[in-house]
Amino acid sequence: MEHKNINLTLKVWKQKNGQSQGRFETYLVNDISTEMSFLEMFDVLNERLIKEGKEPIAFDHDCREGICGMCSMYINGRPHGPWEGTTTCQLHMRAFKDGETIVVEPWRANAFPVLKDLMVDRSSFDRIIQAGGFISVNTGNAVDANAMPVEKDKADASFAAAACIGCGACVAACKNSSAMLFLSAKVTHLALLPQGSPERKTRALNMIAQMDKEGFGACTNTGACEAVCPKEISITNIARLNQEYLYAGLTADK
Amino acid sequence: MNWSSILSSSIGKKIVMAVTGLFLISFLLVHMGVNACIFKDLFDPTDNGDMFNRAADYMGKTALIRIMEVVLFAGFFVHIIQGLILEWENRNKRKKGYAVNLGNKGSKWYSRSMGLLGTILLLFLILHWWHFWIPSRFTHAGLENPILLSNNRVSHDMFKLMTVTFSEWWVVVVYVLACISLAYHLLHGFQSAFRTLGLSNTRYIKLINALGVAYSVIVPLVFALMPISMKMGWVGF
């Protein structure tokens, strides 16, 4: 691919803390290599801002290889930017044209309050996992990996759901700020495997109860979550979660 | 978890929407079937709505249908109230919105506009009741002269009420617009209801999607043809 340097105008959301108002700040960034990732472009800008004695832009990042789920920028009206199936850290500057204006916003949802600039508090996801995203395992020697037979198709579907990195793009894209794609990935991951069956009913009931408590909305099957998911989690998982919930709701003892 | 907490959870509310929605979808088929009797006039000009009036008379005199009428109103009530509550709640989950919106990049406009389409349908429903249901049940406005049906029963001339109502252009336009809203409401609602009830099997989803598109096109089209046919004089006296 042809390499070149481009100049861009960035409109970035700046907000001091959760209590302050926040506004867009415009930055001109010049001589940005198209080989850079989106986050590296922010690094360049931040180094310049520090040298100029200005406040750098706060943003979340960790692994920078698309598996940690920390980077969370809403770029030009799409979570993780214009490319499909990529996180912000995997988005490269060749996705943009020279002279383009890029608008960068944090995830917007009541359940994801802004901490500073582009950083939001996603601990609501952790509490949903704590409510039911686990299995019971006996202590002692590790069980032989092949002792429990699993059908290949189910193992594959479970694995595909387990690819969810919990970045929150589904919530950011959903008009209802619903976390159903995230929950459905976590529930599907465990529900399709024999190891997940002991807590099968309480898992669906408790995780949904926690999701509602955290202030996420209800799913209306619009499909926006699936379209923006960097791990391409299928919306079919939401139907499976509904099925799990209906089954648990009808048959749970208490 | 007791029943009320399950039904009032986010999925529970959606299940209520799906079940009442599918019930209303089944009602639409019956409603369409009965009203399509007006089209006998196309093949038999001497009919003058006799077949339709007999069907309407049957619906009015049958006990089971009258009981189902009450259930139907309950279904409408729950679907409308729950829908409005859900729309309101979901909108409030994002107090601060985006400067640039995702828009049509991830979802269809009608999938995101179920609340708006539903509200249009509610307004239409009020007009529709005022046009037909209230006169036939209570006021008998426009139904002052009973007629003798071919099965020797004396009945209201609902066919005449239809022709009179649909002789006005604005009524025809409003009904056709309502049918378009209904089509888009169904285009999302039909398949969404099945997904909400847990249909995750890929084979069935394909079938449901195809059925949903067919239903959303055919049913509103047949309904829309009723006022159009009467205004154009294809069906009438």
PDB file of all heavy atoms in Angstrom, chain A residues 65-86:
ATOM      1  N   GLU A  65      -3.444  -4.256  20.409  1.00  0.00           N
ATOM      2  CA  GLU A  65      -3.503  -5.289  19.367  1.00  0.00           C
ATOM      3  C   GLU A  65      -4.906  -5.902  19.284  1.00  0.00           C
ATOM      4  O   GLU A  65      -5.078  -7.028  18.840  1.00  0.00           O
ATOM      5  CB  GLU A  65      -2.421  -6.349  19.586  1.00  0.00           C
ATOM      6  CG  GLU A  65      -2.478  -7.020  20.936  1.00  0.00           C
ATOM      7  CD  GLU A  65      -1.371  -8.068  21.127  1.00  0.00           C
ATOM      8  OE1 GLU A  65      -0.478  -8.148  20.272  1.00  0.00           O
ATOM      9  OE2 GLU A  65      -1.432  -8.797  22.124  1.00  0.00           O
ATOM     10  N   GLY A  66      -5.896  -5.158  19.755  1.00  0.00           N
ATOM     11  CA  GLY A  66      -7.284  -5.555  19.520  1.00  0.00           C
ATOM     12  C   GLY A  66      -7.833  -6.642  20.417  1.00  0.00           C
ATOM     13  O   GLY A  66      -8.820  -7.287  20.050  1.00  0.00           O
ATOM     14  N   ILE A  67      -7.193  -6.898  21.576  1.00  0.00           N
ATOM     15  CA  ILE A  67      -7.739  -7.958  22.434  1.00  0.00           C
ATOM     16  C   ILE A  67      -8.115  -7.508  23.843  1.00  0.00           C
ATOM     17  O   ILE A  67      -8.773  -8.242  24.563  1.00  0.00           O
ATOM     18  CB  ILE A  67      -6.779  -9.175  22.527  1.00  0.00           C
ATOM     19  CG1 ILE A  67      -5.403  -8.736  23.001  1.00  0.00           C
ATOM     20  CG2 ILE A  67      -6.724  -9.922  21.213  1.00  0.00           C
ATOM     21  CD1 ILE A  67      -4.488  -9.916  23.288  1.00  0.00           C
ATOM     22  N   CYS A  68      -7.716  -6.296  24.243  1.00  0.00           N
ATOM     23  CA  CYS A  68      -7.994  -5.926  25.636  1.00  0.00           C
ATOM     24  C   CYS A  68      -9.343  -5.224  25.791  1.00  0.00           C
ATOM     25  O   CYS A  68      -9.958  -5.278  26.848  1.00  0.00           O
ATOM     26  CB  CYS A  68      -6.878  -5.059  26.206  1.00  0.00           C
ATOM     27  SG  CYS A  68      -6.879  -3.360  25.600  1.00  0.00           S
ATOM     28  N   GLY A  69      -9.820  -4.574  24.736  1.00  0.00           N
ATOM     29  CA  GLY A  69     -11.115  -3.900  24.804  1.00  0.00           C
ATOM     30  C   GLY A  69     -11.080  -2.562  25.507  1.00  0.00           C
ATOM     31  O   GLY A  69     -12.116  -2.046  25.916  1.00  0.00           O
ATOM     32  N   MET A  70      -9.897  -1.972  25.651  1.00  0.00           N
ATOM     33  CA  MET A  70      -9.813  -0.694  26.359  1.00  0.00           C
ATOM     34  C   MET A  70     -10.091   0.507  25.454  1.00  0.00           C
ATOM     35  O   MET A  70     -10.743   1.456  25.867  1.00  0.00           O
ATOM     36  CB  MET A  70      -8.430  -0.522  27.008  1.00  0.00           C
ATOM     37  CG  MET A  70      -8.262  -1.276  28.317  1.00  0.00           C
ATOM     38  SD  MET A  70      -9.556  -0.904  29.515  1.00  0.00           S
ATOM     39  CE  MET A  70      -9.069   0.734  30.045  1.00  0.00           C
ATOM     40  N   CYS A  71      -9.545   0.506  24.231  1.00  0.00           N
ATOM     41  CA  CYS A  71      -9.708   1.690  23.384  1.00  0.00           C
ATOM     42  C   CYS A  71     -11.173   1.844  23.010  1.00  0.00           C
ATOM     43  O   CYS A  71     -11.837   0.879  22.667  1.00  0.00           O
ATOM     44  CB  CYS A  71      -8.796   1.641  22.162  1.00  0.00           C
ATOM     45  SG  CYS A  71      -8.872   0.129  21.208  1.00  0.00           S
ATOM     46  N   SER A  72     -11.656   3.049  23.109  1.00  0.00           N
ATOM     47  CA  SER A  72     -13.111   3.227  23.018  1.00  0.00           C
ATOM     48  C   SER A  72     -13.456   4.585  22.427  1.00  0.00           C
ATOM     49  O   SER A  72     -14.066   5.408  23.068  1.00  0.00           O
ATOM     50  CB  SER A  72     -13.724   3.121  24.413  1.00  0.00           C
ATOM     51  OG  SER A  72     -13.062   4.010  25.293  1.00  0.00           O
ATOM     52  N   MET A  73     -13.039   4.834  21.199  1.00  0.00           N
ATOM     53  CA  MET A  73     -13.349   6.139  20.614  1.00  0.00           C
ATOM     54  C   MET A  73     -14.477   6.034  19.603  1.00  0.00           C
ATOM     55  O   MET A  73     -14.537   5.094  18.812  1.00  0.00           O
ATOM     56  CB  MET A  73     -12.105   6.704  19.922  1.00  0.00           C
ATOM     57  CG  MET A  73     -10.978   7.017  20.879  1.00  0.00           C
ATOM     58  SD  MET A  73      -9.601   7.689  19.950  1.00  0.00           S
ATOM     59  CE  MET A  73      -8.368   7.827  21.244  1.00  0.00           C
ATOM     60  N   TYR A  74     -15.357   7.014  19.649  1.00  0.00           N
ATOM     61  CA  TYR A  74     -16.478   7.099  18.713  1.00  0.00           C
ATOM     62  C   TYR A  74     -16.047   8.072  17.620  1.00  0.00           C
ATOM     63  O   TYR A  74     -16.045   9.281  17.801  1.00  0.00           O
ATOM     64  CB  TYR A  74     -17.693   7.601  19.478  1.00  0.00           C
ATOM     65  CG  TYR A  74     -19.009   7.441  18.779  1.00  0.00           C
ATOM     66  CD1 TYR A  74     -19.755   6.270  18.890  1.00  0.00           C
ATOM     67  CD2 TYR A  74     -19.546   8.477  18.034  1.00  0.00           C
ATOM     68  CE1 TYR A  74     -20.974   6.135  18.274  1.00  0.00           C
ATOM     69  CE2 TYR A  74     -20.773   8.354  17.407  1.00  0.00           C
ATOM     70  CZ  TYR A  74     -21.480   7.181  17.532  1.00  0.00           C
ATOM     71  OH  TYR A  74     -22.698   7.054  16.916  1.00  0.00           O
ATOM     72  N   ILE A  75     -15.584   7.502  16.482  1.00  0.00           N
ATOM     73  CA  ILE A  75     -14.905   8.276  15.443  1.00  0.00           C
ATOM     74  C   ILE A  75     -15.834   8.531  14.259  1.00  0.00           C
ATOM     75  O   ILE A  75     -16.307   7.576  13.642  1.00  0.00           O
ATOM     76  CB  ILE A  75     -13.635   7.520  14.978  1.00  0.00           C
ATOM     77  CG1 ILE A  75     -12.727   7.248  16.183  1.00  0.00           C
ATOM     78  CG2 ILE A  75     -12.910   8.292  13.890  1.00  0.00           C
ATOM     79  CD1 ILE A  75     -11.760   6.100  15.976  1.00  0.00           C
ATOM     80  N   ASN A  76     -16.079   9.792  13.950  1.00  0.00           N
ATOM     81  CA  ASN A  76     -16.955  10.167  12.827  1.00  0.00           C
ATOM     82  C   ASN A  76     -18.277   9.398  12.849  1.00  0.00           C
ATOM     83  O   ASN A  76     -18.717   8.863  11.829  1.00  0.00           O
ATOM     84  CB  ASN A  76     -16.239   9.930  11.491  1.00  0.00           C
ATOM     85  CG  ASN A  76     -15.296  11.077  11.160  1.00  0.00           C
ATOM     86  OD1 ASN A  76     -15.333  12.132  11.804  1.00  0.00           O
ATOM     87  ND2 ASN A  76     -14.438  10.871  10.160  1.00  0.00           N
ATOM     88  N   GLY A  77     -18.876   9.327  14.035  1.00  0.00           N
ATOM     89  CA  GLY A  77     -20.200   8.713  14.136  1.00  0.00           C
ATOM     90  C   GLY A  77     -20.215   7.211  14.150  1.00  0.00           C
ATOM     91  O   GLY A  77     -21.267   6.600  13.931  1.00  0.00           O
ATOM     92  N   ARG A  78     -19.075   6.571  14.395  1.00  0.00           N
ATOM     93  CA  ARG A  78     -19.058   5.103  14.445  1.00  0.00           C
ATOM     94  C   ARG A  78     -18.068   4.639  15.515  1.00  0.00           C
ATOM     95  O   ARG A  78     -16.928   5.118  15.522  1.00  0.00           O
ATOM     96  CB  ARG A  78     -18.663   4.537  13.077  1.00  0.00           C
ATOM     97  CG  ARG A  78     -18.978   3.070  12.895  1.00  0.00           C
ATOM     98  CD  ARG A  78     -18.610   2.614  11.483  1.00  0.00           C
ATOM     99  NE  ARG A  78     -19.043   1.243  11.246  1.00  0.00           N
ATOM    100  CZ  ARG A  78     -18.362   0.178  11.672  1.00  0.00           C
ATOM    101  NH1 ARG A  78     -17.247   0.324  12.331  1.00  0.00           N
ATOM    102  NH2 ARG A  78     -18.824  -1.039  11.418  1.00  0.00           N
ATOM    103  N   PRO A  79     -18.479   3.731  16.392  1.00  0.00           N
ATOM    104  CA  PRO A  79     -17.538   3.222  17.388  1.00  0.00           C
ATOM    105  C   PRO A  79     -16.350   2.542  16.706  1.00  0.00           C
ATOM    106  O   PRO A  79     -16.550   1.780  15.760  1.00  0.00           O
ATOM    107  CB  PRO A  79     -18.348   2.195  18.190  1.00  0.00           C
ATOM    108  CG  PRO A  79     -19.770   2.539  17.925  1.00  0.00           C
ATOM    109  CD  PRO A  79     -19.810   3.134  16.556  1.00  0.00           C
ATOM    110  N   HIS A  80     -15.147   2.829  17.142  1.00  0.00           N
ATOM    111  CA  HIS A  80     -13.906   2.276  16.591  1.00  0.00           C
ATOM    112  C   HIS A  80     -13.619   2.722  15.148  1.00  0.00           C
ATOM    113  O   HIS A  80     -12.776   2.131  14.479  1.00  0.00           O
ATOM    114  CB  HIS A  80     -13.886   0.738  16.640  1.00  0.00           C
ATOM    115  CG  HIS A  80     -13.924   0.158  18.034  1.00  0.00           C
ATOM    116  ND1 HIS A  80     -12.925   0.375  18.945  1.00  0.00           N
ATOM    117  CD2 HIS A  80     -14.839  -0.626  18.652  1.00  0.00           C
ATOM    118  CE1 HIS A  80     -13.230  -0.265  20.076  1.00  0.00           C
ATOM    119  NE2 HIS A  80     -14.396  -0.869  19.926  1.00  0.00           N
ATOM    120  N   GLY A  81     -14.342   3.714  14.672  1.00  0.00           N
ATOM    121  CA  GLY A  81     -14.028   4.269  13.351  1.00  0.00           C
ATOM    122  C   GLY A  81     -14.623   3.545  12.169  1.00  0.00           C
ATOM    123  O   GLY A  81     -15.443   2.644  12.333  1.00  0.00           O
ATOM    124  N   PRO A  82     -14.195   3.927  10.947  1.00  0.00           N
ATOM    125  CA  PRO A  82     -14.879   3.483   9.733  1.00  0.00           C
ATOM    126  C   PRO A  82     -14.672   2.024   9.329  1.00  0.00           C
ATOM    127  O   PRO A  82     -15.476   1.489   8.573  1.00  0.00           O
ATOM    128  CB  PRO A  82     -14.310   4.407   8.647  1.00  0.00           C
ATOM    129  CG  PRO A  82     -12.997   4.852   9.164  1.00  0.00           C
ATOM    130  CD  PRO A  82     -13.125   4.895  10.651  1.00  0.00           C
ATOM    131  N   TRP A  83     -13.619   1.396   9.778  1.00  0.00           N
ATOM    132  CA  TRP A  83     -13.364   0.009   9.334  1.00  0.00           C
ATOM    133  C   TRP A  83     -14.240  -0.981  10.088  1.00  0.00           C
ATOM    134  O   TRP A  83     -14.515  -0.812  11.265  1.00  0.00           O
ATOM    135  CB  TRP A  83     -11.894  -0.348   9.541  1.00  0.00           C
ATOM    136  CG  TRP A  83     -10.996   0.225   8.493  1.00  0.00           C
ATOM    137  CD1 TRP A  83     -11.375   0.876   7.354  1.00  0.00           C
ATOM    138  CD2 TRP A  83      -9.565   0.218   8.510  1.00  0.00           C
ATOM    139  NE1 TRP A  83     -10.269   1.267   6.640  1.00  0.00           N
ATOM    140  CE2 TRP A  83      -9.145   0.876   7.328  1.00  0.00           C
ATOM    141  CE3 TRP A  83      -8.613  -0.270   9.379  1.00  0.00           C
ATOM    142  CZ2 TRP A  83      -7.798   1.047   7.018  1.00  0.00           C
ATOM    143  CZ3 TRP A  83      -7.275  -0.106   9.081  1.00  0.00           C
ATOM    144  CH2 TRP A  83      -6.869   0.546   7.900  1.00  0.00           C
ATOM    145  N   GLU A  84     -14.611  -2.062   9.394  1.00  0.00           N
ATOM    146  CA  GLU A  84     -15.400  -3.109  10.049  1.00  0.00           C
ATOM    147  C   GLU A  84     -14.481  -4.103  10.744  1.00  0.00           C
ATOM    148  O   GLU A  84     -13.397  -4.411  10.258  1.00  0.00           O
ATOM    149  CB  GLU A  84     -16.261  -3.842   9.019  1.00  0.00           C
ATOM    150  CG  GLU A  84     -17.533  -3.085   8.709  1.00  0.00           C
ATOM    151  CD  GLU A  84     -18.404  -3.764   7.682  1.00  0.00           C
ATOM    152  OE1 GLU A  84     -18.266  -4.989   7.510  1.00  0.00           O
ATOM    153  OE2 GLU A  84     -19.208  -3.055   7.058  1.00  0.00           O
ATOM    154  N   GLY A  85     -14.941  -4.612  11.881  1.00  0.00           N
ATOM    155  CA  GLY A  85     -14.207  -5.678  12.568  1.00  0.00           C
ATOM    156  C   GLY A  85     -12.842  -5.269  13.095  1.00  0.00           C
ATOM    157  O   GLY A  85     -11.933  -6.094  13.172  1.00  0.00           O
ATOM    158  N   THR A  86     -12.684  -3.982  13.438  1.00  0.00           N
ATOM    159  CA  THR A  86     -11.412  -3.538  14.020  1.00  0.00           C
ATOM    160  C   THR A  86     -11.671  -2.671  15.248  1.00  0.00           C
ATOM    161  O   THR A  86     -12.691  -1.994  15.340  1.00  0.00           O
ATOM    162  CB  THR A  86     -10.590  -2.666  13.047  1.00  0.00           C
ATOM    163  OG1 THR A  86     -11.473  -1.778  12.389  1.00  0.00           O
ATOM    164  CG2 THR A  86      -9.822  -3.471  12.050  1.00  0.00           C
TER     165      THR A  86
END
